Amino acid sequence: MKHRCDLNIHTCFSPFADLYMTPIKISNISKLMRLDIISITDHNAIHNIKSVMEVADAYDIEVIPSIEIETKEKVHILGYFENLQVIEKFYDLFEKSLPKIKNQPESMGKEVVMDIYDEILYEFPYFLNVSSNLSVEETVSLIHSFDGLAFASRIDKTDFLTISNFEFITSNSKVDWIKVVENIDFYKEKYRIISSLDSYFIEEIGKRFITFEYDGSIENRGFEIFKKALKENMIECHL
């Protein structure tokens, strides 16, 4: 059986993300795009993962708890974790590395936490589009200490990554894989890659995806199966 996955989706909690990126709407479009596994990767935050997981479960869609971290070098690292409890423990440590800058919704956009009915529970008071005080190496090490997977993200987007940073992260053996948006054929010759759009808007979900075969040997069809597919180099990227 082949699984279809989009592993870089933001909710309305991420700065500048569309307010339509709610648990129900994300689950709806994921089902329409025939996705079996998705990841919620809000910027420096995990607050909407639980609601998306609860809604997506009704659609028979697995959600891998994840986060997109901006390091002090302004490199984006994606962290993928086994379950909600693990990522919550990780976040308790990680969030101490974030500066507390008051959000200004009028200019920076709202950062909202939603329930399973797409109702706003509260607005987050601090701006999340910031660099943590952790380095790439420290970030990857922290992710691995919770048995998570660490991916270098957006390496083909120069607005977020300088050439020197690119050379640093691609030579850092502690990074598990690399996520690209475009130029799949170019990067896959040198690196182990996955591809997705980094979706901030509903219409972007599922437009870039990966597939891998599942032989039924693992009960948890989310994180553990994804991890097995990576280990066995069974990932196929699709535009």
Side-chain angles (χ1 to χ4, degrees):
M1 180 178 180
K2 184 167 284 191
H3 283 297
R4 183 175 175 130
C5 320
D6 187 338
L7 300 176
N8 197 181
I9 298 173
H10 294 264
T11 76
C12 50
F13 194 67
S14 282
F16 310 117
D18 195 328
L19 289 178
Y20 283 100
M21 295 292 274
T22 65
I24 293 175
K25 291 181 176 66
I26 288 172
S27 299
N28 270 326
I29 196 67
S30 295
K31 191 67 174 180
L32 287 172
M33 296 301 290
R34 297 183 289 116
L35 296 172
D36 303 293
I37 300 173
I38 63 174
S39 285
I40 298 304
T41 53
D42 280 327
H43 197 80
N44 291 330
I46 65 169
H47 301 61
N48 273 336
I49 294 176
K50 185 175 185 294
S51 292
V52 177
M53 291 181 79
E54 291 184 18
V55 175
D57 185 61
Y59 291 79
D60 198 29
I61 296 171
E62 189 83 9
V63 179
I64 299 176
S66 316
I67 186 171
E68 185 167 13
I69 291 168
E70 185 173 323
T71 71
K72 69 180 182 182
E73 302 96 341
K74 297 189 181 301
V75 173
H76 287 203
I77 299 292
L78 292 163
Y80 298 92
F81 297 86
E82 181 179 0
N83 55 48
L84 186 62
Q85 292 72 32
V86 173
I87 199 172
E88 286 175 342
K89 291 177 181 177
F90 164 86
Y91 195 75
D92 284 343
L93 293 177
F94 167 72
E95 68 94 18
K96 295 179 176 64
S97 72
L98 296 173
K100 298 295 189 290
I101 300 172
K102 189 174 181 180
N103 190 36
Q104 298 176 14
E106 298 79 13
S107 58
M108 298 175 174
K110 292 182 178 180
E111 300 167 341
V112 295
V113 179
M114 310 283 285
D115 66 14
I116 61 173
Y117 305 106
D118 282 3
E119 298 291 334
I120 295 175
L121 295 174
Y122 61 90
E123 289 188 31
F124 194 68
Y126 300 114
F127 189 49
L128 289 166
N129 194 27
V130 295
S131 299
S132 78
N133 63 25
L134 298 180
S135 67
V136 171
E137 192 170 356
E138 289 169 333
T139 299
V140 172
S141 178
L142 183 59
I143 291 169
H144 285 166
S145 72
F146 286 87
D147 294 323
L149 296 169
F151 284 56
S153 182
R154 298 177 67 91
I155 67 167
D156 52 344
K157 292 295 183 180
T158 55
D159 55 332
F160 277 92
L161 193 60
T162 66
I163 294 299
S164 61
N165 281 338
F166 170 79
E167 292 173 347
F168 173 74
I169 64 173
T170 53
S171 64
N172 183 349
S173 61
K174 292 183 180 179
V175 174
D176 298 299
W177 279 53
I178 290 168
K179 195 221 81 172
V180 300
V181 178
E182 300 170 348
N183 302 318
I184 291 173
D185 290 337
F186 172 79
Y187 287 103
K188 74 180 182 181
E189 293 180 1
K190 293 185 177 181
Y191 310 111
R192 300 183 302 174
I193 68 169
I194 64 170
S195 180
S196 65
L197 266 187
D198 197 7
S199 301
Y200 280 78
F201 298 89
I202 285 292
E203 61 270 18
E204 295 174 337
I205 295 174
K207 292 295 179 66
R208 296 272 198 285
F209 61 95
I210 63 170
T211 57
F212 53 81
E213 292 288 344
Y214 168 49
D215 61 9
S217 62
I218 299 175
E219 183 177 353
N220 179 341
R221 64 182 178 85
F223 178 80
E224 290 300 329
I225 290 174
F226 175 47
K227 190 174 181 179
K228 183 175 187 288
L230 292 173
K231 183 178 181 180
E232 298 178 3
N233 201 21
M234 295 166 56
I235 302 295
E236 295 180 35
C237 298
H238 303 267
L239 295 175

